[in-house]
Amino acid sequence: MNKSWLVLLLLAILFVCFMCSADVVEAKRGGRIRRAIKRILGRKKRRGTGVNRALKAAKKAQKKAKKLAKKLKKLKKPTPTTVVQKCQATGDPHYITFTGKKYDFYGTGDYVLARSTDGKFVAHSRTGKWGKVSVNTGIAVKVDRAGVIEYNVNTDKFYLDKKVLNLETGKKILIGEQGGYAERFKANGLIVSSSNGAKLTAEWSRAESNVKSLGSAGAIHVYLDSPKEVTWTKGLCVTQDATKQQAIGLMHDHKPRKIVKRTIPKPTAEQKQKARDLCIKAGIPEKKKRLLASCIVDVIVSGKTEGKHIAKTIAKLRKDEKKKRKKWAKKWAKKALKKYRKKKAALIKKEKAAEKEAKKDLEKAKRRAKRAAKKGGKKSKKVSVSSRTVSKLRKEVARLLKLKKKLGKKWNPRKHLSKLVKRVLRRLKLKTARCPRKVRINKVLIAQLKKLARC
């Protein structure tokens, strides 16, 4: 018993090994064996009426048309207000991000203000000591990956690629070859723009006497505008977490990041009221409560004279920025409108094409259904065979016809017909006749074989 079990086990192992090796050979040959077998046997193609196929195609086209219609509904006409996004860092410094989040930060050193995903606009800001708080004392912008324009309020100097630049008021310089520029639009104002549409406006107030009393010569107030198409990866204009990271590479004299805990003394009601009146006189509207509150803090921290100066510069900058932004936003709105119209026209075309396809497929389905109804729904009994098998069959049939002539009455289909012909006859559902030696061959079979031999 043990020997017989061992023999059976060995046979099973041999069979498994043979099957695995056959699979490996099959894989190496790229499935040639299977293809050859399929060609010899041929395949049955079920040829129906084609109504279902046409209906499925029509349904697909209808779904496509519906999706395109939904996209068209979602498309919104762009306006100057929806096209622009803005960020600001004013006073000591009060930040408003692109998303509208407001926060204050009193650290000193170099920080990333904003960095676009395409790398065409990178802005770094430097914060310095200002009494018990801090203010922007330097700004550096890399435009179109080409050049870096920088301004330092303490030295009152401009720098281009870390070299001193004499930039007079009203003068404009091009940076790179893509259309980026820097313009000193007034004595204490700078505009920097890049090819992707991002635009930084900076204004400053400075006095050498502030260095002894407050720690820095002056403060820079920054506004950054960009089209909504431009995305931003990091910076104080994107998230408050950027206060934990320092910026290296743009400033000509890098200063490391320092976070100092500063406690601002609580002002009295009189101080608050005086600061409030001063801010309103300077031109800051009462409706803008957040702006007014930050102005009050700036006046209390900086003192009456310097606070008044800061309030005036912020108010002026705000008015100028509003006017410029309106013009700038209109330009970008026009560009956005062109894109919107093109997109809308393309979607309408696609929707119409999908509707036409759906109509055509439905008409096809109707025609095929009519044809099927006329024929009585009968399916064709044709057998599809590959071109190679057909050529073999032709040769084989010709050979067998010659042999049949030679043999005459001795011809017997069961004996003389080849395997290939027998397989084709099975597919055609034709049985070979059981005829004795003296009986003649079935003429119907030969006629059918002759049909196969024809084109």
Side-chain angles (χ1 to χ4, degrees):
M1 286 293 286
N2 290 331
K3 284 180 182 180
S4 61
W5 276 109
L6 280 165
V7 170
L8 282 165
L9 269 167
L10 282 164
L11 284 166
I13 290 158
L14 283 164
F15 178 74
V16 169
C17 289
F18 172 75
M19 290 300 289
C20 289
S21 62
D23 284 338
V24 170
V25 171
E26 182 68 15
K28 282 179 181 177
R29 288 181 179 180
R32 285 178 191 172
I33 296 163
R34 283 178 192 171
R35 283 179 206 160
I37 291 160
K38 281 176 182 178
R39 277 170 191 160
I40 291 159
L41 292 171
R43 290 179 190 175
K44 272 189 182 180
K45 282 187 182 177
R46 292 178 183 178
R47 291 186 181 180
T49 54
V51 178
N52 293 329
R53 269 179 283 157
L55 285 167
K56 278 179 184 178
K59 279 179 184 178
K60 275 185 182 179
Q62 281 171 351
K63 278 181 182 178
K64 199 180 178 181
K66 280 178 184 178
K67 279 180 181 179
L68 289 163
K70 280 180 183 178
K71 277 185 180 180
L72 268 169
K73 280 182 182 178
K74 283 178 183 178
L75 264 178
K76 288 180 180 179
K77 201 175 182 180
T79 56
T81 49
T82 58
V83 167
V84 180
Q85 55 183 342
K86 57 180 179 178
C87 162
Q88 67 182 61
T90 55
D92 58 348
H94 311 288
Y95 294 95
I96 300 172
T97 64
F98 288 119
T99 52
K101 191 184 177 184
K102 296 165 186 178
Y103 68 94
D104 300 330
F105 175 63
Y106 304 120
T108 58
D110 294 350
Y111 297 87
V112 179
L113 184 68
R115 184 188 177 89
S116 63
T117 47
D118 58 8
K120 287 184 177 182
F121 192 95
V122 184
H124 289 186
S125 64
R126 176 175 290 171
T127 48
K129 195 184 174 188
W130 189 258
K132 290 183 178 180
V133 290
S134 61
V135 288
N136 290 319
T137 57
I139 192 85
V141 185
K142 193 175 184 178
V143 182
D144 295 331
R145 299 174 189 165
V148 180
I149 185 82
E150 183 188 343
Y151 174 73
N152 193 309
V153 81
N154 289 323
T155 58
D156 196 24
K157 284 180 181 178
F158 291 93
Y159 301 88
L160 183 66
D161 296 330
K162 299 180 182 181
K163 290 176 183 178
V164 178
L165 174 73
N166 184 24
L167 191 67
E168 294 172 1
T169 50
K171 197 178 177 182
K172 184 178 178 180
I173 56 157
L174 292 169
I175 301 166
E177 294 176 358
Q178 294 177 20
Y181 68 89
E183 185 187 0
R184 190 176 182 178
F185 66 98
K186 59 179 176 178
N188 65 327
L190 177 73
I191 288 172
V192 184
S193 183
S194 68
S195 61
N196 66 357
K199 180 173 72 77
L200 182 137
T201 309
E203 278 194 35
W204 55 87
S205 56
R206 71 180 302 279
E208 289 294 334
S209 58
N210 293 333
V211 178
K212 285 182 182 179
S213 59
L214 295 164
S216 296
I220 303 169
H221 315 289
V222 181
Y223 278 86
L224 177 57
D225 304 313
S226 85
K228 279 198 174 172
E229 293 171 2
V230 180
T231 51
W232 302 88
T233 50
K234 58 168 155 171
L236 297 164
C237 281
V238 179
T239 175
Q240 197 175 347
D241 294 334
T243 54
K244 295 170 187 176
Q245 300 165 352
Q246 63 178 345
I248 304 164
L250 295 193
M251 297 283 185
H252 76 283
D253 56 335
H254 171 64
K255 286 187 180 180
R257 178 177 70 96
K258 283 181 184 179
I259 295 171
V260 184
K261 286 183 180 179
R262 292 185 173 88
T263 52
I264 302 161
K266 286 183 179 180
T268 59
E270 282 180 23
Q271 281 178 323
K272 272 188 177 181
Q273 189 61 44
K274 281 178 182 179
R276 192 174 183 278
D277 294 338
L278 199 142
C279 287
I280 291 161
K281 275 183 185 179
I284 288 158
E286 285 184 59
K287 289 178 183 178
K288 300 283 177 183
K289 288 180 182 179
R290 174 75 185 178
L291 188 68
L292 191 64
S294 60
C295 179
I296 290 162
V297 172
D298 291 341
V299 170
I300 290 161
V301 170
S302 306
K304 192 180 178 182
T305 52
E306 194 55 39
K308 191 180 180 181
H309 199 57
I310 287 167
K312 279 182 179 179
T313 51
I314 288 168
K316 274 183 184 179
L317 179 61
R318 193 176 163 275
K319 281 179 183 178
D320 293 340
E321 186 60 24
K322 259 193 173 183
K323 286 176 184 178
K324 282 173 187 174
R325 193 185 285 120
K326 277 180 182 178
K327 287 179 182 177
W328 182 76
K330 278 178 184 177
K331 282 182 183 178
W332 281 99
K334 279 179 183 178
K335 286 182 181 179
L337 265 168
K338 280 180 182 178
K339 283 183 181 178
Y340 162 78
R341 281 165 188 162
K342 279 182 181 178
K343 203 175 182 181
K344 195 179 179 181
L347 282 168
I348 288 162
K349 271 186 181 180
K350 283 179 181 178
E351 194 186 0
K352 282 179 180 177
E355 283 172 359
K356 277 182 182 179
E357 275 181 33
K359 281 179 183 178
K360 279 180 182 178
D361 289 324
L362 283 166
E363 281 171 9
K364 274 183 186 178
K366 283 175 184 177
R367 283 175 206 157
R368 284 172 181 177
K370 281 178 183 179
R371 282 174 197 168
K374 282 177 183 178
K375 287 177 182 177
K378 287 180 182 179
K379 289 180 182 179
S380 58
K381 291 182 180 179
K382 287 181 182 178
V383 177
S384 66
V385 187
S386 66
S387 57
R388 285 187 184 181
T389 48
V390 170
S391 61
K392 280 181 184 178
L393 266 170
R394 281 175 183 165
K395 287 175 185 177
E396 197 66 28
V397 168
R399 188 183 67 80
L400 288 166
L401 284 166
K402 284 178 184 177
L403 204 141
K404 188 230 168 201
K405 277 183 183 179
K406 277 184 183 180
L407 292 169
K409 290 179 181 180
K410 289 179 181 180
W411 170 263
N412 192 348
R414 293 225 166 183
K415 280 185 180 180
H416 299 110
L417 283 176
S418 62
K419 286 180 181 180
L420 182 69
V421 174
K422 281 178 182 177
R423 280 173 193 172
V424 174
L425 288 167
R426 275 177 216 151
R427 287 287 172 100
L428 288 164
K429 293 178 182 179
L430 292 165
K431 291 178 182 179
T432 49
R434 286 186 184 181
C435 51
R437 284 180 187 177
K438 290 180 181 180
V439 180
R440 288 182 181 182
I441 190 164
N442 192 351
K443 286 179 182 180
V444 178
L445 178 66
I446 295 159
Q448 282 167 351
L449 286 166
K450 276 183 181 179
K451 276 182 185 179
L452 272 172
R454 288 172 198 159
C455 293

